[in-house]
């Protein structure tokens, strides 16, 4: 590894897996955010703020350099051809400019692939809304940072008051030139010395497991059946490891949501919201955390959706994101998804919350001990991407809903070039699930973006109404 590579860093095993999985549209790991404003955006000022943000978050000016060796993770290098206009544009929402048109536009934007030859992010200012307000749509590739990192990044283009003075203009071109000069040449991973260094690093990192895997790979060209057998063995091992994290409190005779078995790469965006202070107080009055109340609301909505359609449920499998970030940790991605099985019998919300809290606590403890699903990333990177994708798809097929709760800026109003940020609607990673629900708290709102697969949940609006009802029910318990 060259000095320049070391300075700019290589992907972690988890980031490399996300990078490879993205080639499958079902397993796209990226999330986007639609920021709804009370007011309009000053385009020129926002462009200057983004230039400033790039200087404060240098990864936004880096491109990914793939290694010639497929087992060596990619590295980051400054993009000598960086052009802010490639990442920033203004668009008008189709007429009549209401919420349906805006959300459909956000869904289309999320389907546009990011250019892998340049930094992996995009900002779009959306005008032409019937309300007269503006919206800002943003996507940042997951390998740049998780939800925590993106919230930190927002500090560069948001203010605490409507009349805050913008930062001094920056010389972005000079910043890029200096970064390219400091990084030096792109690392050469193709010479024999680099290959030997790689082999030594793998042996150190993965010890006996790596040696066995690399030795195994050498036998595959001469014995295709052996390759198929080993891939199947990995799939079985990984499935067993993931299943070990799940709750087994319910009957496994007919798990999952029977109405949500169909899957596609299509998405439909819905948004529900409640006052944050009421939701927090209601959860506390019910003896629960915000996360548990949020998860219980999702389970309750899924169960009610099926009951309303005369379809019985035995259990549901959801997932939540467990942060592995320690205090002061600046790691780009520090999280692991945790699957958990829930009983799906008819219950009042308060009773369901008790059951959900117990199940998530058990799953959280197990993930903390084993490393969770992300602990499989290193092993998954040692086998062909197609085999790893096969496992990921199989695992996603067993998940009925995925959730994430991003700590935002509760109690603090934010402004973008003077316009108040009223709501943030997150479009969570597709990841092959019927719905990805991502909550974020800002100001006094608890916003949940429901990114729904309409092939699975064929009445997305009705499901969103049920989630809204469950969240409102929690709020009703506030004193």
């Amino acid at each position: 590894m060259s000095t320049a590579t070391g300075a700019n860093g290589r992907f972690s095993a988890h980031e490399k897996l996300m990078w490879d999985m993205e080639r499958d549209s079902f397993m796209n790991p990226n999330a986007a955010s639609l920021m709804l404003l009370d007011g309009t955006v000053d385009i020129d000022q926002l462009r200057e703020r983004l230039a400033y943000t790039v200087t404060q978050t240098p990864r936004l000016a880096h491109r990914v350099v793939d290694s010639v060796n497929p087992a060596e993770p990619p590295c980051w290098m400054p993009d000598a051809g960086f052009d802010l206009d490639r990442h920033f544009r203004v668009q008008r929402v189709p007429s009549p400019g209401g919420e349906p048109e805006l959300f459909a536009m956000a869904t289309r934007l999320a389907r546009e692939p990011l250019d892998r030859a340049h930094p992996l992010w995009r900002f779009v200012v959306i005008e032409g809304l019937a309300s007269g307000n503006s919206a800002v749509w943003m996507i940042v590739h997951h390998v740049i940072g998780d939800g925590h990192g993106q919230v930190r990044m927002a500090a560069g283009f948001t203010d605490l008051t409507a009349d805050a003075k913008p930062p001094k203009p920056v010389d972005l071109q000079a910043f890029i030139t200096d970064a390219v000069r400091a990084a030096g040449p792109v690392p050469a991973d193709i010479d024999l010395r680099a290959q030997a260094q790689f082999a030594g690093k793998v042996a150190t990192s993965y010890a006996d497991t790596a040696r066995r895997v690399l030795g195994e790979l050498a036998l595959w060209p001469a014995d295709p059946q052996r390759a198929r057998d080993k891939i199947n063995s990995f799939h079985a091992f990984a499935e067993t490891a993931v299943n070990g994290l799940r709750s087994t409190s319910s009957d496994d005779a007919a798990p999952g949501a029977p109405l949500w078995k169909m899957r596609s790469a299509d998405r439909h965006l819905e948004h529900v919201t409640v006052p944050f202070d009421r939701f927090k107080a209601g959860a506390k009055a019910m003896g629960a955390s915000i996360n548990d109340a949020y998860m219980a609301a999702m389970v309750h909505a899924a169960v009610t959706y099926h009951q309303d359609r005369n379809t019985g449920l035995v259990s549901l499998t959801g997932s939540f994101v467990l942060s592995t970030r320690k205090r002061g940790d600046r790691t780009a991605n520090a999280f692991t998804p945790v699957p958990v099985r829930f009983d799906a019998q008819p219950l009042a919300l308060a009773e369901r919350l008790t059951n959900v809290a117990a199940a998530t606590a058990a799953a959280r403890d197990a993930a903390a001990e084993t490393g969770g699903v992300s602990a499989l990333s290193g092993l998954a990177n040692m086998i062909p991407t197609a085999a790893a994708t096969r496992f990921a798809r199989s695992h996603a097929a067993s998940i009925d809903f995925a959730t994430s709760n991003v700590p935002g800026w509760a109690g603090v109003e934010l402004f973008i070039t003077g316009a108040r940020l009223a709501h943030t609607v997150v479009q969570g990673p597709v990841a092959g699930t019927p719905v990805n629900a991502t909550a974020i708290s800002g100001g006094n709102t608890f916003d949940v973006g429901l990114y729904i697969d309409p092939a699975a949940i064929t009445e997305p609006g009705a499901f969103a109404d049920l989630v809204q009802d469950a969240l409102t029910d929690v709020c009703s318990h506030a004193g």
Side-chain angles (χ1 to χ4, degrees):
M1 183 182 294
S2 70
T3 302
T5 306
N8 292 288
R10 288 194 182 270
F11 283 15
S12 67
H14 194 186
E15 289 162 350
K16 183 179 185 300
L17 187 61
M18 289 192 292
W19 180 247
D20 292 339
M21 288 289 178
E22 186 187 17
R23 293 182 173 90
D24 183 342
S25 61
F26 274 71
M27 305 309 299
N28 191 331
N30 298 322
S33 297
L34 179 64
M35 292 166 275
L36 309 180
L37 306 180
D38 281 341
T40 58
V41 169
D42 182 320
I43 303 298
D44 292 336
Q45 185 183 147
L46 181 57
R47 192 179 185 283
E48 291 182 2
R49 295 299 297 262
L50 289 178
Y52 169 79
T53 302
V54 170
T55 66
Q56 301 303 301
T57 312
R59 192 67 81 212
L60 297 178
H62 287 189
R63 64 187 179 92
V64 176
V65 179
D66 279 309
S67 172
V68 174
N69 190 323
E72 177 81 349
C75 70
W76 294 100
M77 294 294 291
D79 181 14
F82 181 84
D83 181 356
L84 185 61
D85 289 333
R86 185 182 289 115
H87 306 274
F88 178 65
R89 65 181 189 242
V90 181
Q91 289 185 209
R92 291 187 66 83
V93 70
S95 180
E99 184 178 278
E101 292 76 27
L102 176 61
F103 283 10
M105 182 178 182
T107 301
R108 289 193 298 272
L109 289 171
R111 295 182 68 88
E112 294 182 22
L114 292 166
D115 186 350
R116 287 187 164 213
H118 296 287
L120 301 163
W121 60 278
R122 185 182 302 129
F123 259 72
V124 180
V125 176
I126 300 174
E127 299 181 327
L129 295 171
S131 64
N133 296 321
S134 296
V136 175
W137 183 87
M138 172 183 76
I139 187 169
V140 180
H141 201 290
H142 217 314
V143 295
I144 293 179
D146 55 20
H148 291 262
Q150 294 187 29
V151 168
R152 287 200 305 267
M153 190 189 81
F157 60 86
T158 59
D159 297 304
L160 297 176
T161 61
D163 56 355
K165 292 183 179 179
K168 293 181 180 180
V170 298
D171 188 339
L172 188 55
Q173 188 55 56
F175 173 81
I176 298 298
T177 300
D178 290 344
V180 171
R181 184 183 299 115
V186 174
D189 287 336
I190 59 175
D191 60 32
L192 294 177
R193 182 175 59 182
Q195 295 290 349
Q197 290 174 343
F198 163 72
K201 184 173 71 173
V202 168
T204 299
S205 302
Y206 296 102
D208 292 339
T209 300
R211 286 193 289 273
R212 287 196 299 272
V213 172
L214 294 175
E216 187 68 45
L217 291 175
L219 299 175
W220 286 11
D223 190 351
Q225 184 58 47
R226 182 186 182 97
R228 286 191 291 270
D229 291 344
K230 291 298 181 181
I231 289 172
N232 289 337
S233 295
F234 165 78
H235 183 273
F237 161 76
E239 187 68 19
T240 299
V242 171
N243 285 338
L245 299 179
R246 294 180 180 157
S247 169
T248 57
S249 60
S250 62
D251 182 2
D252 287 343
L259 296 180
W260 296 355
K261 296 302 183 185
M262 293 294 293
R263 305 294 165 89
S264 72
D266 293 332
R267 277 299 183 266
H268 174 92
L269 180 61
E270 294 280 348
H271 169 228
V272 298
T273 184
V274 291
F276 177 77
D277 57 354
R278 299 287 294 174
F279 187 70
K280 180 180 179 180
K284 183 177 180 180
M286 299 171 78
S289 67
I290 290 175
N291 284 332
D292 287 338
Y294 165 46
M295 184 71 81
M298 289 298 300
V299 174
H300 203 68
V303 171
T304 306
Y305 183 94
H306 282 75
Q307 287 178 329
D308 290 348
R309 287 152 186 80
N310 299 314
T311 302
L313 282 174
V314 174
S315 65
L316 289 166
T317 299
S319 72
F320 62 93
V321 174
L322 177 65
S323 175
T324 58
R325 193 179 305 277
K326 296 179 173 58
R327 187 170 184 176
D329 185 2
R330 305 291 289 185
T331 306
N333 284 283
F335 71 95
T336 187
V338 181
V340 55
R341 184 73 58 80
F342 299 108
D343 287 333
Q345 58 185 307
L347 296 172
L349 180 60
E351 188 176 359
R352 189 177 307 285
L353 199 156
T354 300
N355 288 358
V356 165
T360 54
R364 187 181 298 111
D365 291 344
E369 182 177 346
T370 64
V373 175
S374 297
L376 298 173
S377 299
L379 183 58
N381 285 324
M382 291 184 181
I383 68 172
T385 300
T389 300
R390 173 187 165 191
F391 160 68
R393 278 207 181 200
S394 175
H395 173 55
S398 70
I399 302 295
D400 297 306
F401 63 90
T403 67
S404 181
N405 186 3
V406 180
W409 46 93
V412 178
E413 295 285 3
L414 293 183
F415 300 83
I416 298 179
T417 68
R420 186 178 72 89
L421 176 54
H423 298 281
T424 301
V425 187
V426 179
Q427 298 164 263
V430 174
T433 59
V435 55
N436 184 297
T438 303
I440 188 166
S441 49
N444 191 35
T445 62
F446 186 77
D447 291 315
V448 181
L450 298 170
Y451 214 25
I452 297 170
D453 179 354
I457 304 177
T458 56
E459 298 179 70
F463 176 70
D465 289 342
L466 293 172
V467 176
Q468 180 71 67
D469 290 345
L471 295 174
T472 302
D473 193 347
V474 174
C475 293
S476 71
H477 288 77

